[in-house]
Amino acid sequence: MTVRVSCNDCSLSQICLPLAVEPEQLDELDRMIRRGRPLKRGEHLYRAADSFEAVYAVRSGALKTYSMSEEGDEQVTGFYLPGEIVGMDGIGTAHHVSSAKALETSTVCEIPFTQLEALSTKIPTLQRHFFSLMSREIQEDRMLHMLLSKKSADDRVASLILSIGARHQRRGLSNTQFRLPMSRYDIANYLGLAVETVSRIFTRLQQQELISVDGREIQILDRPGLCGDSRKTCTS
Amino acid sequence: MTVRVSCNDCSLSQICLPLAVEPEQLDELDRMIRRGRPLKRGEHLYRAADSFEAVYAVRSGALKTYSMSEEGDEQVTGFYLPGEIVGMDGIGTAHHVSSAKALETSTVCEIPFTQLEALSTKIPTLQRHFFSLMSREIQEDRMLHMLLSKKSADDRVASLILSIGARHQRRGLSNTQFRLPMSRYDIANYLGLAVETVSRIFTRLQQQELISVDGREIQILDRPGLCGDSRKTCTS
DNA sequence: CGAGGCTTTGAAACAGTTCAAAACTCGTGG
DNA sequence: CCACGAGTTTTGAACTGTTTCAAAGCCTCG
């Protein structure tokens, strides 16, 4: 039982795949997309070693991707918010190398990759857009590389908060006040820190009056301060 | 004055782009490639903010890519050996976001991206191969993410040594004995460590008789030991 | 052969971790 | 509707891997 929503009606079409497709060709893209039932918090969208069939656009909610090392510890590799594409790391190996799990009730649009590939050869702007998406994912990984390798724990947390804010803004929401969809554990894991450290930093950033924290509810009080802290280009 | 070498004669064709192209179509790929004069150690292939025109296949030598933070410190984001493709991070932004610099005398094949894109719509296996390459770059970034966020300094260095070895093997060279093309500074920077730490670790790994080190000359003496150290899947 | 860059080594300092424990949330079932 | 309990978050104190500072030795290439 697939839900009947079309890209035309979707509020995310301006930041999602459709933006690369002319209106007259949108139907073709639209028809290949499968919109399944919502994922409940904790449910998997796919698991490592599943065969790679599709990429997914997040429609609502939030997901995390993670992989497992041989010793069995988890590494959170990314967070995905509405309008973002998840699952591109599987293209090269024909099976997923990471798992994707819902952080809260979420809906996604499934885009079968073989069909997307075929359509891409017909619509150059779509091919280009997809190259761009992957390239930008690489760029972001490089920025994360710098974050992990050069920045202090405070900078890392500040940077994540700013990033979530900026991604909210892309959807027309406040970049100043929002709810973090992930736990302190996930944040710590993603940023290569201990949970205790992350918790202490939230408290500290609040004491410095850079943000106000209430559980997962965040409000940015002093953006320049927070940016300066993380020395990150302060878009938004 | 472009050098006259064709993909047909190139010993790297089995790990480089040509592997995705049928022999009868190889000429078309071949014709779009420009082979320039060698880069001397320290010369740039491109710099951050240069407009993005092409990706490059390394033919000989070795390069590093790096980006600069606002404060002006360098982050080495990758090392590129013969047969590998460098420059894909620029696709999404129309200009390069990092710089690429020769670590030693190197030659590269320049592949104009617009032409590659056009050819990709005609040769689906080429399109697929390019998606795969980018996807694998993302995968590797994710493994690096885990390395930086969860592993000890010793594990990181061991892992890099094993990676360089494996990449030598792909070209039919020894995966046990080789020369590192990069300085201790570059290794430290890439792995998020201090130079002194890296130097100490090389000494320590040698004391443990896992490797033998003579400057940049490396020999792996106890692969399982080195793998076990870095807990990395020990291919090769 | 000399100079600047690399590499190594030692000792002190520190950022972040680990261990331990208490306090809070929130969904669930009685 | 309230109480229970598992998972999450916070806080404190001791510990440790890595960095920083300092200095000497070593290539290598002009």
Side-chain angles (χ1 to χ4, degrees):
Chain A
M1 109 345 190
T2 52
V3 187
R4 307 194 46 66
V5 186
S6 84
C7 291
N8 278 310
D9 310 335
C10 183
S11 65
L12 297 165
S13 64
Q14 282 319 303
I15 60 174
C16 189
L17 279 191
L19 94 87
V21 181
E22 297 299 322
E24 52 267 27
Q25 295 175 303
L26 186 53
D27 270 355
E28 194 166 355
L29 176 63
D30 209 23
R31 272 196 302 278
M32 72 167 69
I33 294 179
R34 218 180 66 201
R35 295 154 180 104
R37 61 168 179 70
L39 293 163
K40 285 206 295 269
R41 161 189 240 273
E43 271 189 287
H44 277 87
L45 179 56
Y46 56 80
R47 286 168 190 276
D50 282 359
S51 86
F52 170 76
E53 307 289 353
V55 297
Y56 305 85
V58 180
R59 194 135 46 83
S60 68
L63 310 186
K64 71 170 176 183
T65 52
Y66 65 93
S67 51
M68 226 71 170
S69 72
E70 285 73 30
E71 307 91 86
D73 49 32
E74 179 177 322
Q75 174 65 55
V76 175
T77 52
F79 301 112
Y80 294 85
L81 303 186
E84 299 174 352
I85 307 289
V86 58
M88 294 192 291
D89 61 346
I91 298 172
T93 43
H95 58 83
H96 287 286
V97 291
S98 59
S99 306
K101 196 185 211 177
L103 292 170
E104 54 192 49
T105 304
S106 305
T107 54
V108 301
C109 299
E110 180 177 333
I111 306 154
F113 189 67
T114 316
Q115 291 178 52
L116 181 65
E117 250 183 328
L119 191 60
S120 291
T121 61
K122 289 196 292 180
I123 310 179
T125 55
L126 184 59
Q127 187 196 53
R128 161 59 71 117
H129 185 64
F130 219 73
F131 279 136
S132 290
L133 276 179
M134 297 186 73
S135 167
R136 237 169 284 155
E137 191 123 344
I138 293 172
Q139 264 187 238
E140 275 155 31
D141 285 344
R142 301 294 151 89
M143 280 175 53
L144 183 62
H145 182 173
M146 161 141 357
L147 204 63
L148 294 178
S149 123
K150 296 266 180 309
K151 305 294 183 165
S152 70
D154 290 66
D155 286 353
R156 295 185 207 178
V157 174
S159 183
L160 179 64
I161 294 172
L162 289 166
S163 161
I164 301 285
R167 287 146 78 186
H168 269 252
Q169 192 173 39
R170 284 200 340 140
R171 291 185 274 143
L173 306 173
S174 167
N175 67 347
T176 300
Q177 196 163 15
F178 44 85
R179 183 180 175 75
L180 297 173
M182 72 293 276
S183 71
R184 301 285 193 264
Y185 277 93
D186 287 331
I187 294 175
N189 188 306
Y190 177 70
L191 294 176
L193 301 168
V195 201
E196 294 93 328
T197 308
V198 171
S199 174
R200 277 185 254 269
I201 290 170
F202 273 104
T203 317
R204 200 184 309 153
L205 292 177
Q206 170 149 308
Q207 278 162 0
Q208 297 168 184
E209 302 191 323
L210 297 174
I211 61 174
S212 135
V213 186
D214 175 21
R216 297 185 177 188
E217 233 26 88
I218 298 288
Q219 185 172 6
I220 298 178
L221 300 176
D222 176 1
R223 186 176 303 276
L226 204 58
C227 290
D229 231 31
S230 77
R231 252 21 59 97
K232 269 199 68 199
T233 315
C234 226
T235 37
S236 72
Chain B
M1 94 15 192
T2 53
V3 187
R4 306 194 46 66
V5 186
S6 85
C7 291
N8 278 310
D9 309 335
C10 183
S11 64
L12 297 167
S13 64
Q14 282 319 301
I15 60 173
C16 189
L17 278 191
L19 93 87
V21 181
E22 297 300 319
E24 53 268 26
Q25 295 175 304
L26 186 52
D27 270 356
E28 194 166 355
L29 177 63
D30 209 23
R31 270 195 303 277
M32 73 169 67
I33 293 178
R34 216 179 69 199
R35 295 156 180 101
R37 62 167 178 71
L39 292 163
K40 285 205 295 266
R41 163 189 237 273
E43 271 189 288
H44 277 87
L45 177 57
Y46 56 81
R47 288 168 189 274
D50 282 359
S51 85
F52 169 76
E53 306 289 352
V55 298
Y56 305 86
V58 181
R59 193 133 47 81
S60 68
L63 312 186
K64 71 170 176 183
T65 51
Y66 65 94
S67 51
M68 227 72 169
S69 72
E70 284 74 31
E71 308 91 86
D73 50 30
E74 179 176 321
Q75 174 64 56
V76 175
T77 52
F79 301 113
Y80 294 83
L81 303 185
E84 299 175 352
I85 307 289
V86 59
M88 294 192 291
D89 61 345
I91 298 173
T93 42
H95 58 84
H96 287 286
V97 291
S98 59
S99 306
K101 195 184 210 177
L103 293 169
E104 55 192 48
T105 304
S106 305
T107 55
V108 300
C109 299
E110 180 176 333
I111 306 154
F113 189 68
T114 316
Q115 292 177 52
L116 181 65
E117 252 183 327
L119 191 59
S120 291
T121 61
K122 289 198 291 183
I123 309 179
T125 55
L126 184 59
Q127 187 196 53
R128 161 60 69 118
H129 185 64
F130 219 73
F131 278 137
S132 290
L133 276 178
M134 296 185 75
S135 166
R136 238 170 281 155
E137 191 124 343
I138 293 172
Q139 265 187 237
E140 276 155 30
D141 285 344
R142 302 293 152 89
M143 281 176 51
L144 184 60
H145 183 172
M146 162 143 354
L147 204 63
L148 294 178
S149 122
K150 296 266 180 309
K151 305 293 184 168
S152 69
D154 291 67
D155 286 353
R156 294 185 208 178
V157 174
S159 184
L160 179 64
I161 293 172
L162 289 165
S163 162
I164 301 285
R167 287 147 79 185
H168 269 252
Q169 192 173 39
R170 287 202 337 144
R171 301 173 2 233
L173 306 173
S174 167
N175 66 346
T176 300
Q177 198 163 14
F178 46 85
R179 183 181 175 75
L180 296 174
M182 72 292 277
S183 71
R184 301 283 194 265
Y185 277 94
D186 286 332
I187 294 175
N189 189 306
Y190 177 68
L191 294 176
L193 300 169
V195 201
E196 295 93 328
T197 308
V198 171
S199 173
R200 278 185 252 268
I201 290 171
F202 273 104
T203 316
R204 199 184 308 153
L205 292 177
Q206 171 148 325
Q207 279 162 0
Q208 296 169 183
E209 301 191 323
L210 298 173
I211 61 174
S212 135
V213 186
D214 176 21
R216 296 185 178 189
E217 229 31 83
I218 298 288
Q219 187 172 4
I220 297 177
L221 300 175
D222 176 1
R223 188 176 302 276
L226 203 58
C227 290
D229 232 30
S230 77
R231 259 6 74 92
K232 268 199 65 195
T233 316
C234 226
T235 36
S236 71

